[in-house]
Amino acid sequence: MLQLFLIAFRNLGTHRRRTLLLGGAIASVTALLVILMGLSTGMKESMLRSATTLSTGHVNVAGFYKVTAGQAAPVVTGYPAILEQIRKDVPELDFAVQRGRGWLKLVSETSSMQVGVGGIDIQSEPGLRQVLQLRAGTLDGLAEPDTVLLFEKQAKKLNVQVGESVTLAAQTLRGASNTVDARVVAIAADMGMLSDFGIFVPADTLRSLYQFKSDTAGALLLYLKDIQHVPAVQARLRQTLTAAGHTVMDHDPRAFFMKFETVNREAWTGQRLDITNWEDEISFITWTLTALNSLTGVLIFVLMVIIGVGIMNTLWIAIRERTREIGTLRAIGMQRTRVLLMFVFEAMLLGTLGTLAGASAGLVLCLAVNAMAVHVPEVVAVFIMSETLNLAVHPSSILGAMAFITACTTAISLIPSFLAARLKPVTAMHHIG
Amino acid sequence: MNPTASQASIVSITNVTKDYTLGKVVVPALRGVDLEVHAGEFISIAGPSGSGKTTLLNLIGCVDTATGGVVRVAGQDTKQLTERQLTNLRLNTIGFIFQSFNLVQVLSVFQNVEFPLLLQRKLDKAQRRERVMQLLEQVGLASHAKHRPNELSGGQRQRVAVARALVTRPQLVLADEPTANLDSVTGQNIIDLMKELNQKEGTTFIFSTHDAKVMSHANAVVRLADGKFLDRISAAEASRVMAAGGH
């Protein structure tokens, strides 16, 4: 077997130009795959990081309260009791926070805009401190009532600075208009689409704006020790909360604000809980990831077809050139399977060397891009949820890309290799050419 | 080593025919050939071009199959064997020496000679090394073990081919025009080497040739013409016939 590898290796070395050309093509595709996978994984990680900080936990216990059939509010009433039960039922829980949820008009002296609002207790939000990059002000300011955190783009549009005031205007559950003047205590760096239409205020400020009781929350955001446990926790909570007498809505994998139309059409009134996960809450933007993955798939497929034709062609040429050698080896006692292996090894070796070079180049490029913190245009930042290009490189995905392309090149070589192995020794030995 | 009547036949060919189909035309290459070769013989197959020498060697070497008749090699009817069994028969019983040497260009002299032993998987590394080096000594190429075939002369390459053919200690070695691509002195050396190995090791050699000088070393010359067995004569008789202008 070692000898077959040696023959394969030396044959690649003998036909250096051909090997370099095809190996270079394989390396290019591998590098491209590593970069695109890095971009896709980077986006996913950015999404997970920003989404699970700004708008969702790993698992959310939220819901709607309806005074009348057509008037739903995104609230959970009596949340302390529910939170207590969750702590008992979910040993996988790392920490939980309660957030207020709402939709309001933000008015400054020069401009106004509609935004979603999160009511937070800044002292119990360790995640926010880690993820938000402040451009001005301090997060601790949110501990004071009637304060607000804006994102850079919003502050620019409203033309406000830290210390200045904006007016928060919203409709209460009973249809009355209410306003609160809030002081800007912090301005954070933009975090893509999720930060475009979200602001943070203290939970009590939100409650007073909507005239909610103190045991009312918008959602309970649960952060698990291991994100892999999300499906199990979600299923368990559905059972235990139902058993505790709560009415739990059927699972609908959409963000809460996309459910209003459906919920308002339903005839029930009172409180219903809705248990979702982080992917449900950002499903409206994960299409970008799906689109990128699909594009990567199509691109790699097309390139693999081109490489496949190249490999087949190269092996055909190699087999034509070495037909007499095949005949000789068959004559001196080499079995057909070994002839097949000899050519398969050649393709596999070419694939391995090509992907190794490509993966190394892709890795270096990814690390260089990350180190340079390349800023992306605003329109791109919205989709990748980051101001800078983040190419996530994981050894497993690089090895996976290498294995995938090597397996493809090896599989493609099977056809010509099989035909080489089927050659009759006498025909091959007397081949002229 | 001279054959005796009591020695078992290593090759037995009975009424063998071989036809090639070229489009719609069937070309008979062998027409009812009978041949018996005993272990230890040093036999030459002679005849003009197109007489069927190579076809006969291909059938004996189990690299081709007869259209009709029976070919028995080392007691086995080749028609009854599967492809895998035929390959094993070639590996363990037959050695090949080709007119164009047919060495693997990317392997060294040592690796070329060692290759059949690796296919056999019977000897360990040390035993293989000993066997190969012993043969390279015999053919006078021990000092060239690390060279690649393209670094050798034609005669040296054919010596490597001889060593490769003998490395598995086959009962039978087939050589198709082994001296055709060599100058007369080198060709003579190769034949001397084959003869020496035949006498020392008792290996049976069957080789095809046009060359009367080469033929003169054989124990017997089997003459073919137009795909038919003409006769089996001694080397001296063959030389006389050749001198008289016949094949």
Side-chain angles (χ1 to χ4, degrees):
Chain A
M1 213 57 94
L2 205 65
Q3 207 74 349
L4 295 184
F5 258 119
L6 187 69
I7 292 176
F9 184 75
R10 288 195 177 159
N11 269 313
L12 289 176
T14 304
H15 303 100
R16 210 165 293 159
R17 188 182 294 179
R18 192 197 296 164
T19 303
L20 282 176
L21 200 70
L22 204 56
I26 293 171
S28 306
V29 173
T30 311
L32 189 68
L33 184 60
V34 167
I35 293 165
L36 288 174
M37 277 170 48
L39 185 64
S40 167
T41 312
M43 269 178 72
K44 195 171 179 181
E45 285 177 358
S46 294
M47 275 185 187
L48 177 65
R49 193 174 54 245
S50 27
T52 54
T53 310
L54 297 183
S55 66
T56 166
H58 296 147
V59 176
N60 309 297
V61 177
F64 295 92
Y65 188 87
K66 296 210 288 185
V67 177
T68 60
Q71 191 83 35
V75 294
V76 178
T77 53
Y79 83 84
I82 296 173
L83 193 56
E84 198 181 322
Q85 188 185 340
I86 289 169
R87 289 191 206 281
K88 271 194 292 184
D89 294 339
V90 185
E92 299 94 335
L93 188 67
D94 187 10
F95 66 96
V97 296
Q98 63 85 16
R99 287 258 181 101
R101 279 173 170 177
W103 183 257
L104 50 77
K105 192 170 185 181
L106 198 54
V107 185
S108 71
E109 284 182 8
T110 55
S111 184
S112 70
M113 62 193 299
Q114 295 281 344
V115 289
V117 58
I120 57 169
D121 174 7
I122 193 63
Q123 307 303 344
S124 60
E125 291 272 7
L128 273 182
R129 289 183 187 277
Q130 287 169 12
V131 170
L132 291 178
Q133 290 178 8
L134 292 187
R135 294 286 191 246
T138 163
L139 277 179
D140 290 329
L142 285 172
E144 295 171 31
D146 299 341
T147 51
V148 62
L149 175 144
L150 302 179
F151 288 93
E152 227 171 358
K153 213 188 293 174
Q154 297 160 347
K156 196 173 171 189
K157 190 180 176 194
L158 294 168
N159 195 22
V160 290
Q161 308 284 329
V162 168
E164 294 178 346
S165 285
V166 288
T167 303
L168 316 178
Q171 263 197 343
T172 67
L173 201 53
R174 303 207 178 265
S177 290
N178 198 14
T179 58
V180 167
D181 285 334
R183 183 167 47 89
V184 178
V185 290
I187 295 174
D190 288 328
M191 293 181 70
M193 200 183 275
L194 283 177
S195 68
D196 280 0
F197 52 85
I199 62 167
F200 290 105
V201 298
D204 286 336
T205 302
L206 196 69
R207 284 194 194 100
S208 79
L209 182 66
Y210 284 101
Q211 296 177 348
F212 288 146
K213 290 182 187 171
S214 62
D215 67 348
T216 302
L220 302 175
L221 277 48
L222 315 183
Y223 295 90
L224 308 182
K225 290 166 194 153
D226 184 351
I227 198 167
Q228 303 294 328
H229 294 137
V230 165
V233 169
Q234 214 178 336
R236 194 183 319 134
L237 281 176
R238 181 168 291 283
Q239 282 180 345
T240 56
L241 290 172
T242 304
H246 297 281
T247 306
V248 178
M249 291 164 58
D250 290 338
H251 182 232
D252 179 357
R254 290 184 296 164
F256 80 96
F257 58 83
M258 298 175 87
K259 296 176 185 171
F260 278 99
E261 202 182 325
T262 316
V263 171
N264 280 334
R265 270 205 310 267
E266 292 169 355
W268 55 271
T269 54
Q271 175 75 63
R272 285 197 178 180
L273 297 181
D274 186 20
I275 301 170
T276 59
N277 61 41
W278 71 275
E279 282 179 302
D280 300 337
E281 293 296 331
I282 60 163
S283 56
F284 62 102
I285 44 173
T286 48
W287 67 268
T288 53
L289 206 59
T290 312
L292 180 69
N293 286 341
S294 306
L295 185 71
T296 303
V298 170
L299 202 62
I300 296 301
F301 177 76
V302 171
L303 291 172
M304 281 312 294
V305 168
I306 294 168
I307 283 189
V309 171
I311 286 175
M312 276 229 204
N313 204 29
T314 303
L315 278 183
W316 283 126
I317 294 168
I319 287 162
R320 265 191 83 79
E321 285 173 355
R322 287 158 59 194
T323 302
R324 287 184 75 170
E325 183 185 308
I326 295 167
T328 307
L329 294 175
R330 293 278 291 122
I332 66 173
M334 185 188 254
Q335 294 288 0
R336 281 177 169 166
T337 46
R338 290 195 163 221
V339 174
L340 182 128
L341 279 178
M342 188 169 71
F343 285 97
V344 167
F345 281 166
E346 204 165 309
M348 197 160 83
L349 208 56
L350 183 65
T352 307
L353 295 175
T355 53
L356 196 65
S360 307
L363 179 65
V364 168
L365 204 73
C366 286
L367 293 176
V369 167
N370 288 344
M372 287 190 292
V374 177
H375 279 261
V376 294
E378 205 170 283
V379 67
V380 179
V382 166
F383 291 108
I384 68 169
M385 296 193 169
S386 172
E387 290 179 304
T388 55
L389 208 50
N390 171 34
L391 304 176
V393 280
H394 298 298
S396 59
S397 57
I398 291 177
L399 288 175
M402 284 177 64
F404 171 71
I405 292 181
T406 305
C408 285
T409 54
T410 308
I412 288 161
S413 74
L414 279 173
I415 302 167
S417 304
F418 180 75
L419 292 175
R422 295 287 301 175
L423 279 171
K424 280 177 76 174
V426 67
T427 316
M429 273 196 305
H430 297 116
H431 173 83
I432 298 165
Chain B
M1 184 178 281
N2 291 320
T4 63
S6 62
Q7 279 177 309
S9 64
I10 181 114
V11 177
S12 169
I13 287 175
T14 313
N15 196 26
V16 160
T17 60
K18 177 67 186 178
D19 298 333
Y20 290 112
T21 308
L22 299 171
K24 289 178 182 174
V25 184
V26 175
V27 181
L30 290 177
R31 309 176 199 210
V33 173
D34 294 300
L35 179 66
E36 201 83 13
V37 179
H38 294 97
E41 282 194 286
F42 196 74
I43 283 191
S44 170
I45 297 175
S49 290
S51 60
K53 301 187 297 291
T54 299
T55 304
L56 184 60
L57 282 177
N58 286 342
L59 296 182
I60 297 169
C62 305
V63 291
D64 203 358
T65 47
T67 309
V70 178
V71 178
R72 299 182 81 87
V73 177
Q76 299 190 68
D77 183 351
T78 58
K79 218 166 207 172
Q80 307 302 320
L81 300 179
T82 62
E83 179 60 42
R84 178 164 280 274
Q85 288 169 326
L86 283 172
T87 307
N88 282 332
L89 183 67
R90 290 198 296 269
L91 176 62
N92 297 312
T93 313
I94 307 168
F96 289 90
I97 301 167
F98 303 96
Q99 184 179 334
S100 312
F101 328 128
N102 293 23
L103 300 174
V104 181
Q105 293 302 317
V106 295
L107 297 182
S108 68
V109 165
F110 181 91
Q111 287 162 337
N112 263 287
V113 178
E114 188 193 28
F115 203 80
L117 294 178
L118 289 167
L119 294 175
Q120 275 190 326
R121 288 192 277 192
K122 287 177 183 171
L123 304 181
D124 63 29
K125 194 177 175 183
Q127 289 171 318
R128 285 200 307 270
R129 181 166 183 80
E130 192 188 336
R131 174 87 64 90
V132 172
M133 287 314 292
Q134 183 194 338
L135 264 166
L136 287 178
E137 289 280 357
Q138 270 183 281
V139 300
L141 285 173
S143 59
H144 291 68
K146 288 182 180 169
H147 286 59
R148 294 272 184 96
N150 60 6
E151 296 165 345
L152 303 178
S153 69
Q156 286 171 322
R157 288 183 208 185
Q158 197 60 301
R159 282 165 179 270
V160 178
V162 171
R164 183 180 65 184
L166 291 166
V167 77
T168 57
R169 294 187 178 155
Q171 294 173 53
L172 172 67
V173 172
L174 303 173
D176 189 9
E177 309 258 10
T179 59
N181 281 352
L182 304 174
D183 62 73
S184 58
V185 177
T186 314
Q188 184 62 47
N189 288 341
I190 291 293
I191 292 297
D192 287 345
L193 175 66
M194 284 164 52
K195 186 78 182 170
E196 186 189 332
L197 293 167
N198 162 256
Q199 287 174 341
K200 271 190 190 165
E201 312 285 342
T203 310
T204 310
F205 277 81
I206 304 175
F207 59 96
S208 65
T209 185
H210 281 103
D211 190 336
K213 272 189 188 171
V214 172
M215 226 178 285
S216 66
H217 291 269
N219 301 136
V221 177
V222 173
R223 293 200 304 155
L224 296 177
D226 295 329
K228 289 180 187 164
F229 175 79
L230 215 56
D231 52 21
R232 178 180 170 131
I233 56 178
S234 69
E237 277 177 282
S239 295
R240 275 201 297 277
V241 173
M242 294 277 282
H247 280 288

Short mmCIF file of all heavy atoms in Angstrom, two decimals, chain A residues 50 59 61 129 254 275 315 321:
data_model
loop_
_atom_site.label_atom_id
_atom_site.label_comp_id
_atom_site.label_asym_id
_atom_site.label_seq_id
_atom_site.Cartn_x
_atom_site.Cartn_y
_atom_site.Cartn_z
N SER A 50 -25.59 39.17 19.61
CA SER A 50 -26.38 40.40 19.75
C SER A 50 -27.83 40.09 20.05
O SER A 50 -28.44 40.79 20.87
CB SER A 50 -26.24 41.29 18.52
OG SER A 50 -25.94 40.58 17.39
N VAL A 59 -33.93 30.84 25.88
CA VAL A 59 -35.35 30.46 25.90
C VAL A 59 -36.11 31.64 26.51
O VAL A 59 -35.61 32.28 27.44
CB VAL A 59 -35.58 29.17 26.72
CG1 VAL A 59 -37.08 28.84 26.82
CG2 VAL A 59 -34.82 28.00 26.13
N VAL A 61 -39.83 32.98 28.15
CA VAL A 61 -41.22 32.76 28.57
C VAL A 61 -41.87 34.14 28.51
O VAL A 61 -41.62 35.01 29.34
CB VAL A 61 -41.30 32.16 29.98
CG1 VAL A 61 -42.76 32.00 30.41
CG2 VAL A 61 -40.59 30.81 30.02
N ARG A 129 -23.67 44.38 29.65
CA ARG A 129 -22.39 45.05 29.94
C ARG A 129 -21.26 44.47 29.07
O ARG A 129 -20.34 45.17 28.69
CB ARG A 129 -22.02 44.87 31.41
CG ARG A 129 -22.91 45.68 32.34
CD ARG A 129 -22.46 45.55 33.78
NE ARG A 129 -23.42 46.19 34.67
CZ ARG A 129 -23.42 47.49 34.93
NH1 ARG A 129 -22.52 48.28 34.35
NH2 ARG A 129 -24.32 48.02 35.73
N ARG A 254 -41.91 32.47 15.45
CA ARG A 254 -41.72 33.83 14.92
C ARG A 254 -41.44 34.78 16.08
O ARG A 254 -41.73 34.46 17.24
CB ARG A 254 -42.99 34.29 14.19
CG ARG A 254 -43.26 33.57 12.89
CD ARG A 254 -44.47 34.15 12.18
NE ARG A 254 -45.70 33.97 12.93
CZ ARG A 254 -46.83 34.64 12.70
NH1 ARG A 254 -46.85 35.55 11.74
NH2 ARG A 254 -47.91 34.41 13.41
N ILE A 275 -43.86 30.32 24.73
CA ILE A 275 -42.47 29.88 25.00
C ILE A 275 -41.73 29.78 23.66
O ILE A 275 -42.12 29.02 22.78
CB ILE A 275 -42.46 28.52 25.74
CG1 ILE A 275 -43.23 28.67 27.05
CG2 ILE A 275 -41.03 28.06 26.00
CD1 ILE A 275 -43.49 27.38 27.75
N LEU A 315 -6.93 12.71 -14.94
CA LEU A 315 -6.74 11.26 -14.73
C LEU A 315 -6.84 10.50 -16.06
O LEU A 315 -6.12 9.54 -16.27
CB LEU A 315 -7.75 10.73 -13.73
CG LEU A 315 -7.39 10.94 -12.27
CD1 LEU A 315 -8.42 10.30 -11.36
CD2 LEU A 315 -6.02 10.35 -11.94
N GLU A 321 -1.45 8.00 -20.63
CA GLU A 321 0.03 8.02 -20.64
C GLU A 321 0.60 6.77 -19.98
O GLU A 321 1.69 6.34 -20.32
CB GLU A 321 0.54 9.26 -19.88
CG GLU A 321 0.40 10.55 -20.66
CD GLU A 321 0.75 11.77 -19.82
OE1 GLU A 321 1.00 11.63 -18.60
OE2 GLU A 321 0.74 12.86 -20.38
#
